[in-house]
Structures are given as structure tokens and as C-alpha cells.
Amino acid sequence: MKKKLTTVMFRGTRDQEEQLRAVIEEYRGVPGAMMPILQKAQEIYGYLPVEVLRIVAEGTDTPLEEVYGVASFYSQFSLNPKGSVAIAVCLGTACYVKGSGDILDRISEKIGIGPGATSPDGKYSLEATRCIGACGLAPVLTVNDTVYGRLTKDDVDGILEQYQ
Amino acid sequence: MDMVNVTINGREYSVPANSTVLEAARYANIDIPTLCYLKDINEIGACRLCLVEVEGARGLVTACVYPVNEGMKIRTNTPAITETRKMNLQLLLSNHDKKCLSCVRSTTCELQKLCNEYGVDENYFGGAKTESTIDDSSVAIIRDNSKCVLCRRCVAACNKNQGVGVIGANDRGFDTHIGSAYEIKLADTTCINCGQCIVACPVGALYERDDTDKVFAAIADPTKHVAICTAPSVRATLGECFGYEPGTDVEGKMVSALKALGFDGVYDMNVSADLTIMEEATEFLDRVKNGGKLPMITSCSPGWIKFCEHYFPEMTENLSTCKSPQQMFGALYKTYYCEKNGLDPKDVVFVSAIPCTAKKFEVQRDGQSAAGVPDVDVAITTREVARMIEKAGIDFRALPDSVYDQPFGFGSGAGAIFGATGGVMEAALRTAAEVITGEKLEKVDFDDVRGTDAIKRATYTLGDTTIRVAVTSGTANAKELLRRVQSGEEQVDFIEVMACPGGCVNGGGQPYQPAVVRNNVDLKSKRAAVLYHADKELLDIRKSHENSAVKALYDEYFGEPGSHKAHEVLHTHYVKRGM
């Protein structure tokens, strides 16, 4: 799926930047180091915004676009930070046939962002996931580490209210 | 050279052992179709049109990346192959905006040509199309992904030849598209507007911003005085748009065509190239004598200027402050010429015909308005000139030869060679040598700085001054050279950089040539040969300072090269852009 660009303000710290620069130094001269550098960058920042990739591009003497090409290609890289309320709706087969598509739409409408995005204030992030292995509870969603199962779209408002 | 024997379509050939099947087929006079292959820079087997049969190989193989070996048996045109290629073309078309009638590349499109040859059904596959956008943020280059076939030729040109790399493949699978990082608009990237992506593109996904309507409108406006000057290399390439072989000089017909279009004056930019040399050679000698910033780097190529501002902002003081010949011409026209002829610069529309898309950016830069209005109003590429001639119904091939209008109608040979890599350096050396020694230069050919090598170096002793020069083209090569200069590995006094590989003759605004020509014909040398021929055989004078038109300008208006007046009109400044 086409990756969504973030609208969340970058809040990187000096410390994070130093860590990233140390990673880039560690891989200096190592061929094919872009993947491990990006993986570690994502560990440090939680996601890969333009501010971070600019540091990688400059540090590895690689065009920014080339770095972005890698980041946008692999599903393991996220261009959006996780929200403080991180919602994931399962779109695995069992959940989907039990109506998780409607649930996803309802959440999307309520919080104003589509799947793969994070609200501009950084509060909500929404993800459409593959099967999370809780088919017995279908349809399911998770908010942070809590699992909600056997839902209908009318349950959405109640769940979201708990995270106001 | 090691050779191997291969069989192509039942006949035996001896081909170099390091050939690919695609290269080997050329020995059998067979062009295997390709859309993605560009020799040396894009050999990736992506488009799947060069599929051929190799006996013993599993399935069809991609000829562009498949090496030959002894005894290989190749077939290039069996029914199974043509059927597969046709299917692959239809798959490409399933994701292509098939508005071919109005497409800028209609008749020069490599995809269109192949589809016609293979007799495709353009609606064979329906269904969804990848979401696409048109990025028209840039003043020079427009990207339309609805036409893109993802061959990545533009990406290779931008990255490998130019060392810029602002476009590449984003996302994956069905969503794969060419774009900039984080979908930043081209105008907001470090794009240098060189247009090498445009001439690399096989289809209509990349094209210059067409400014011909502005020119037609100005010509039609009776209150406007509309003049045009043509860059040195346009006469060497324009003919290609009208079916002439690359390397045909069409100066006379071009001048006739422009007069037929209705310009009030048709002038030769070689004159302002000569003027550039007067200023630039003077500036260089002044820097040498008075401890100015060295190495001095030429400033004629606006793609190179923007590259330097982004990638080497710490070196912008090394750039000559001379405006480019295009801008000098416009500035001269709107000051000297207007004053002399009682014209209000506001009523003048000055047009330049140039081989370059970056000139479209240059005309709207700060510090390029000597008379308080832009020096040059519209910059149109060689392709746009051809488009105007066609649209006006002018039968180019039937035109007689005409000569440029005076007083800016005769340039020197030094001005002529500005259009090829090494030309500006050679022109400057011819003048600098005579200024330094005070003697007549006997041998005016500086052969060491000619040719299409990536980086050319030479040392000249002129009188008691030794000058180390370097010449490069293609900004990736320039990056390499400047890094060596910065690290101290390389010591030079004077550097010429042209943004496009081979110089303006291979500019991003030059006529389209399909990959089969780009891969097999030395376009740069063929086109440059026109300029060197003019320098040596056609023009009476070969040194800028001997050009009587230029001498008159200094006598009447500027005083001497580098004067206060000359600085006001003919020089400019740069910005440090960074990344």
C-alpha cells in the first residue's frame, strides 16, 4: 500500500541525533548498510520522518530520494510515529467477514485519519493489520496493548471514549 | 579483443566476448526493442521488451543484461517472442494514459513506435490504474506520472550522470511511482533543471515547460518589439527535428525560419559568448594578479550554477561573476541597444533559443535585470523552436539560408565552440594568452581541453604565467573534481563546468533521440563537430577580442572589460542554497 506521509511535528532530540550519527559512523565503508542503518534509525526515533532521513542521506553521502526509496519500499519501515493512542484493526479473513471493515471506517471517521496515518497532534494512529491470531474473538481491534473483541461498529464510540 | 562465435537467427557471427545479447545482435544489424536500456547507466532488464530465445536457457531471457558465450544460439524474432513482447506492451499500456494525440512525445515516443510495430490492442487490459500526479511546480521541467513506464532512465540520468538524484522509485508493487523523497515537489528539491531526465525519457512523462505561447503572443502584439538570439549549439541540433542527420549545421535555415516567424531581430548568441570571454578572461587574470579566489569556475551553465549553490555553497565565491551569454545578451539588448535605438526596455520582449531547460530557471533569477526588467523574458529550447516552426507551417527543409541581423550577427569561432565541453575554456585561453603575452597567438587550438572525457586537465605556460586548467561536464563529474580540489588532491587555477555531459550540444533542451541512437551514435561528438568546423573553416575570426562587434561595444558603451558599467550590466551574484 502507498505509504502515508506524516503530518506530525518532528520532536527529535539532540540525544537521538547523536545516537543516529554514531550508527552511521559504525557502518561507514560497509557495503549494503542502508537497511541496518534505517532499522536502527527507526529503533531510535520510532519512525522515519524526513528530518531523520536527511541525516542518513548526508551521513552516507546518498541522495535523499534513494534513502526514501528504500524506506517507502519495505513494509517494516514506518513514515508515521505511533500515536499515544495506537489503534490497530484486524483485517484478517475472519475479522473481515465479521465486519471489521465497517469498524475501521467508523474509527477513521471518528478520529479523522485513514489507515497508515497519525493525527497531526500525534494522539491517534490507525493501522489496518493482517490476522493477529485472535480469530475466536473476531472482529477484533487493539488499542495500545489492550485487545477488544466480538465488536460491532456501534462499539467504536464507547472504546474511543476511554482514551479521551 | 577476445571474440566468441554465436548464432543469431540461424547465421553465425563473431562478436566480442564481453557483449550482451543486445550488443551482439547489432552485429547482425538487428535492433532488439528496449524501453529501459541506456548504455552504461541503466542496464537493469526492467521493461521486458528485449526478450529473446537462447537455446538451453529456461524461458525467454532479457537481451540487454544477458552475456554471450561461445556457441550460443540466439533467436530474436520467433512468433513466441513477438507475442510475448506484444503482451508486455499491452501490460504497460494498461497503466498508461493513452492520450497520444495531444502528447508532447507523439511521433517521437518510443512506446508509441513499438506499439505500432507490434500491432497492440491498446485496450486489451482494463482495470485500475496507479494513482498518478502531475508535478508542474518547476519552471523548467514537468513530470506526468500517468505516462510513466517505470523504465528508470530518468532516475539513472539524474543520479549517475548528474549526481543529483532527486527522483527515484517510491513505494512498491502497484503503487510504485517515480517521485522525489516524501513527494516533495521538484521545485523544492535540489533539482538543477538540467533536463537530462527529459532527453532520457522514452515517453511523455517528462517534458519542458512549453513557453512557445508566450512568444507567439508577443509576436502578435504590435506594441512589442520582439527579438531572439540563438545559442551556439542550437544550429547544430535543430535540424534533427526536421529529419536531418545528427551533426548537420542548419544555421542559415534556422535564421530564415525565425525571421519568417516574425521576430523583429534575429541575433547570434555567439556575440555575447565573445562578450562573456572578454569579461571572464579579464576577471580570471585579475584574480590571478591580485590574489582573488582561485580556482575560478565558469558560470555559463545555469544547471551547474544551481548545482554549485546546493552542493558546494562554500565555493560560490569561486564562480565567475559573469552572467551567462544568454543573460549578457538580454542585458545588453535592454540597455545599450534600447538606449541607442530609442526603445523602452518595457516594450521589448527578449527571447533566447537555447539547448537548455535550466535557462528557464535562470531568466527569473535575482540579479538578472540590468535595465530594471528581466534581461531575458522567455527562454525556449531547441525543441520548442522546432515546435513553433512546425506550428507556423514553415517548410523548414525548403527554406533558403539567411544571415543574422546586425549589429549582433557575427560571432567569433571562440564564441561558436561555447556549445561543447571545453569550448568556454579554449575561448578564454585564446584571449587570456594574448592579453598576458601581448603577442599574437599562433596556435589557437587547445586540443587538450577538447573531447568528451569525464575530466580533462592541462597546464599552459603563457608568457611567465603558468595556468593549470581542468574541464568537466556532467555534474556527477563536477562533484568528483571539486571534491578533489577541496581535499587538495588536485590543484587548478581555472575550471570549466558544463552541467550536461558533453556540454550544451547534449543539453536537456535538445532534440529527442531514441535510446537506440543514444546508445549507438556518439551524438555529443557529432553535434560538437559542427561547432569546431564553424570555428576552423567558416568564421573569419577565431578569438573573442578580435570580434569587431564586441570591440565596438567596449568603445561605445562599456569602456573596458571589467569596468564599472560592465559590472552593472554583465555581472551577477549567487546564493548559498545548501541541501
Side-chain angles (χ1 to χ4, degrees):
Chain A
M1 197 173 70
K2 195 169 174 181
K3 288 199 179 174
K4 291 226 166 50
L5 300 176
T6 193
T7 51
V8 182
M9 202 179 78
F10 181 60
R11 292 193 176 80
T13 63
R14 189 90 220 147
D15 183 47
Q16 285 174 317
E17 185 175 333
E18 273 165 27
Q19 285 179 51
L20 176 57
R21 289 196 188 275
V23 168
I24 294 167
E25 250 351 280
E26 187 189 326
Y27 283 98
R28 189 158 307 284
V30 181
M34 191 53 76
M35 285 300 282
I37 291 175
L38 289 181
Q39 284 161 343
K40 292 197 172 168
Q42 181 153 293
E43 274 173 34
I44 295 166
Y45 289 92
Y47 72 120
L48 297 176
V50 63
E51 293 83 356
V52 171
L53 290 207
R54 276 194 199 282
I55 298 171
V56 175
E58 185 219 309
T60 57
D61 194 19
T62 311
L64 178 65
E65 162 50 35
E66 200 173 315
V67 184
Y68 179 78
V70 176
S72 68
F73 182 88
Y74 291 100
S75 58
Q76 63 177 286
F77 296 122
S78 173
L79 306 182
N80 268 293
K82 273 227 171 353
S84 52
V85 181
I87 307 165
V89 181
C90 179
L91 289 191
T93 312
C95 288
Y96 191 77
V97 297
K98 288 236 175 192
S100 64
D102 292 339
I103 294 171
L104 181 67
D105 290 345
R106 177 72 187 147
I107 297 172
S108 213
E109 191 185 304
K110 282 291 280 183
I111 63 178
I113 54 169
T118 301
S119 60
D121 59 3
K123 182 169 180 186
Y124 296 105
S125 60
L126 180 60
E127 232 183 313
T129 72
R130 296 181 183 184
C131 180
I132 62 169
C135 310
L137 298 175
V140 299
L141 64 80
T142 63
V143 180
N144 298 336
D145 290 329
T146 312
V147 179
Y148 298 86
R150 299 211 173 91
L151 303 170
T152 68
K153 69 176 189 301
D154 298 329
D155 296 321
V156 166
D157 292 15
I159 295 170
L160 289 178
E161 261 165 40
Q162 297 172 42
Y163 296 92
Q164 286 296 333
Chain B
M1 200 191 310
D2 285 348
M3 305 294 278
V4 293
N5 298 303
V6 297
T7 308
I8 300 173
N9 299 337
R11 297 178 68 176
E12 286 201 10
Y13 299 89
S14 178
V15 301
N18 61 358
S19 310
T20 59
V21 170
L22 182 73
E23 287 162 343
R26 294 281 307 172
Y27 287 84
N29 296 314
I30 288 172
D31 284 327
I32 295 170
T34 60
L35 276 181
C36 67
Y37 176 79
L38 273 187
K39 197 172 166 54
D40 298 331
I41 62 167
N42 203 43
E43 302 177 349
I44 59 173
C47 74
R48 319 309 287 179
L49 289 178
C50 66
L51 295 171
V52 294
E53 281 178 22
V54 170
E55 204 171 285
R58 209 177 59 176
L60 301 177
V61 304
T62 43
C64 70
V65 290
Y66 204 84
V68 294
N69 55 42
E70 181 59 38
M72 182 180 270
K73 289 191 170 59
I74 303 157
R75 301 206 75 88
T76 68
N77 62 352
T78 64
I81 292 170
T82 46
E83 197 46 44
T84 307
R85 288 181 188 157
K86 180 177 169 181
M87 194 53 76
N88 287 349
L89 284 166
Q90 288 172 162
L91 282 163
L92 283 173
L93 289 178
S94 73
N95 209 19
H96 189 79
D97 180 11
K98 297 182 282 281
K99 280 193 211 131
C100 299
L101 292 179
S102 56
C103 180
V104 66
R105 289 298 299 269
S106 191
T107 73
T108 62
C109 173
E110 295 177 46
L111 176 63
Q112 186 185 42
K113 182 166 181 283
L114 285 172
C115 286
N116 191 271
E117 285 167 2
Y118 280 80
V120 300
D121 171 357
E122 58 266 74
N123 296 316
Y124 190 86
F125 294 106
K129 283 197 170 82
T130 305
E131 191 187 311
S132 68
T133 48
I134 295 180
D135 181 350
D136 61 355
S137 60
S138 159
V139 294
I141 296 168
I142 298 174
R143 289 197 321 106
D144 178 358
N145 273 345
S146 71
K147 301 280 186 185
C148 179
V149 294
L150 297 173
C151 69
R152 291 157 173 82
R153 275 158 54 169
C154 57
V155 176
C158 188
N159 210 347
K160 294 190 182 157
N161 284 347
Q162 301 305 82
V164 174
V166 290
I167 46 174
N170 291 347
D171 291 301
R172 74 192 281 177
F174 193 71
D175 292 310
T176 307
H177 62 283
I178 303 300
S180 299
Y182 295 91
E183 314 303 335
I184 299 168
K185 295 284 183 196
L186 203 55
D188 301 323
T189 67
T190 56
C191 171
I192 62 170
N193 305 306
C194 68
Q196 285 297 310
C197 53
I198 297 175
V199 287
C201 183
V203 294
L206 282 152
Y207 49 93
E208 71 285 345
R209 182 177 291 280
D210 188 304
D211 288 316
T212 57
D213 282 348
K214 288 187 199 167
V215 182
F216 277 123
I219 291 173
D221 183 343
T223 66
K224 298 291 183 195
H225 172 98
V226 190
I228 188 166
C229 70
T230 67
S233 68
V234 176
R235 71 206 73 192
T237 58
L238 180 65
E240 292 169 34
C241 297
F242 298 97
Y244 290 91
E245 277 295 299
T248 308
D249 185 349
V250 295
E251 180 184 301
K253 287 183 191 296
M254 174 182 72
V255 173
S256 295
L258 294 173
K259 289 184 174 178
L261 279 169
F263 286 98
D264 297 306
V266 178
Y267 304 107
D268 193 349
M269 205 189 285
N270 292 8
V271 175
S272 59
D274 284 331
L275 190 59
T276 304
I277 286 305
M278 298 302 289
E279 291 298 316
E280 201 160 280
T282 306
E283 181 184 5
F284 174 66
L285 294 175
D286 178 66
R287 288 192 190 201
V288 170
K289 203 166 128 196
N290 298 317
K293 194 91 173 168
L294 291 174
M296 189 175 93
I297 315 176
T298 57
S299 57
C300 302
S301 165
W304 151 244
I305 293 296
K306 190 157 183 270
F307 185 89
C308 185
E309 291 174 332
H310 281 300
Y311 292 84
F312 294 92
E314 65 282 4
M315 290 192 81
T316 50
E317 276 128 48
N318 294 72
L319 294 171
S320 161
T321 59
C322 290
K323 286 180 182 174
S324 70
Q326 163 181 285
Q327 296 301 120
M328 280 202 184
F329 210 128
L332 179 70
Y333 206 77
K334 294 200 178 172
T335 56
Y336 165 81
Y337 187 85
C338 281
E339 285 168 34
K340 202 173 165 184
N341 293 283
L343 285 165
D344 183 344
K346 290 190 190 68
D347 297 330
V348 172
V349 175
F350 194 81
V351 182
S352 65
I354 32 82
C356 178
T357 44
K359 294 267 175 210
K360 290 177 184 284
F361 178 80
E362 186 181 36
V363 298
Q364 44 97 66
R365 284 182 65 109
D366 281 347
Q368 305 280 359
S369 34
V373 290
D375 293 336
V376 176
D377 297 279
V378 192
I380 55 172
T381 60
T382 310
R383 296 190 293 268
E384 289 166 275
V385 174
R387 221 171 282 151
M388 288 188 73
I389 294 169
E390 278 172 355
K391 206 171 181 180
I394 296 165
D395 184 354
F396 188 82
R397 294 183 70 105
L399 289 173
D401 287 349
S402 300
V403 293
Y404 286 106
D405 291 320
Q406 297 302 344
F408 309 121
F410 290 124
S412 76
I417 60 174
F418 255 61
T421 172
V424 176
M425 178 60 73
E426 181 165 348
L429 288 169
R430 288 179 189 176
T431 291
E434 293 202 357
V435 173
I436 292 175
T437 62
E439 290 164 21
K440 195 163 171 62
L441 185 66
E442 290 307 325
K443 186 180 180 313
V444 297
D445 296 332
F446 289 79
D447 294 319
D448 297 336
V449 296
R450 295 186 183 185
T452 54
D453 289 352
I455 300 175
K456 294 164 278 183
R457 302 171 177 87
T459 302
Y460 296 106
T461 304
L462 310 171
D464 52 5
T465 312
T466 300
I467 299 173
R468 297 159 298 183
V469 306
V471 173
T472 190
S473 64
T475 40
N477 293 328
K479 191 189 271 183
E480 165 81 20
L481 174 64
L482 288 206
R483 282 185 175 173
R484 293 168 65 88
V485 168
Q486 283 185 321
S487 71
E489 270 174 272
E490 189 125 18
Q491 271 122 32
V492 279
D493 305 305
F494 194 6
I495 300 174
E496 179 208 284
V497 181
M498 293 191 190
C500 293
C504 314
V505 286
N506 189 37
Q510 294 286 31
Y512 297 117
Q513 285 291 352
V516 64
V517 173
R518 292 193 172 273
N519 291 329
N520 298 303
V521 175
D522 185 359
L523 275 183
K524 298 170 204 162
S525 303
K526 278 199 158 189
R527 290 167 171 176
V530 173
L531 308 182
Y532 286 108
H533 176 76
D535 171 40
K536 196 158 190 171
E537 310 293 341
L538 306 181
L539 296 163
D540 299 333
I541 46 166
R542 301 185 66 191
K543 296 167 205 156
S544 299
H545 56 279
E546 291 176 359
N547 183 339
S548 55
V550 171
K551 279 191 212 163
L553 282 173
Y554 283 103
D555 289 345
E556 282 181 43
Y557 198 65
F558 293 119
E560 54 183 15
S563 68
H564 182 68
K565 184 84 178 168
H567 267 272
E568 275 181 358
V569 177
L570 306 176
H571 289 250
T572 186
H573 58 265
Y574 307 106
V575 287
K576 296 181 192 301
R577 293 177 201 274
M579 295 303 284

